[in-house]
Amino acid sequence: IYAAEPATAAERTRAEVTALLESFLSPGQNPTRAAHERFWADDLVYTSSAGKVTNKAEILQSFDEPLKAEPGTPAEPEPVYSAEDILVRPYGEMAALTFRLVARAADGTTQHYRNSGTFLFRDGRWQAITWQATKVPAIASLPPEAK
């Protein structure tokens, strides 16, 4: 029996960036400051689906701000996120990621986003240096048979 050949660098990059994304989106990780600290590079440029440009420092600062819920109103539970149609294209120490983000709210509603990011491998780990999120209009997120 021959030992399996080691994964190519490109296959390893695809597997590592995909695992990083899936871990980041998991319910136990995504709403935590530690997950965002690990996922985003210090020099991140993030463009939200609303067109707001932000950075890692502002994202992390949002974890320090108290929730602004009305008194006596329970806080909304965080949506549960998952990724579909994940494509990682390796370019040496850089990788381009595109995927469809699915956000499932506690009330059962679902919203889709098309996300893309650029990752760099620095200091022994992959981190996102750019991110773009685009909200998919509700009609476009329906399966073809439902349109």
Side-chain angles (χ1 to χ4, degrees):
I1 296 177
Y2 295 100
E5 289 188 30
T8 67
E11 290 168 340
R12 191 171 44 254
T13 295
R14 284 186 197 97
E16 289 174 359
V17 172
T18 298
L20 179 62
L21 173 66
E22 290 174 342
S23 173
F24 177 70
L25 294 177
S26 69
Q29 291 294 312
N30 187 265
T32 68
R33 180 186 177 103
H36 286 263
E37 178 71 42
R38 163 69 185 91
F39 193 79
W40 308 118
D42 289 341
D43 53 346
L44 170 73
V45 176
Y46 182 114
T47 305
S48 76
S49 62
K52 181 183 185 296
V53 178
T54 190
N55 58 43
K56 181 177 180 175
E58 289 176 353
I59 291 170
L60 295 179
Q61 183 181 8
S62 71
F63 286 93
D64 299 334
E65 297 169 359
L67 294 176
K68 297 177 176 101
E70 292 290 322
T73 305
E76 292 270 332
E78 290 286 329
V80 174
Y81 297 103
S82 61
E84 298 175 350
D85 304 328
I86 299 169
L87 176 62
V88 177
R89 293 175 295 147
Y91 299 98
E93 301 295 305
M94 186 175 67
L97 166 72
T98 57
F99 68 100
R100 184 169 64 155
L101 178 71
V102 181
R104 290 178 177 81
D107 66 4
T109 59
T110 302
Q111 179 60 56
H112 295 93
Y113 299 82
R114 286 290 182 181
N115 286 2
S116 60
T118 305
F119 288 76
L120 279 183
F121 190 79
R122 295 190 282 207
D123 301 323
R125 63 185 178 171
W126 290 101
Q127 286 187 308
I129 59 166
T130 65
W131 200 262
Q132 170 73 47
T134 303
K135 190 173 186 177
V136 176
I139 190 72
S141 65
L142 295 174
E145 62 274 9
K147 289 185 183 176

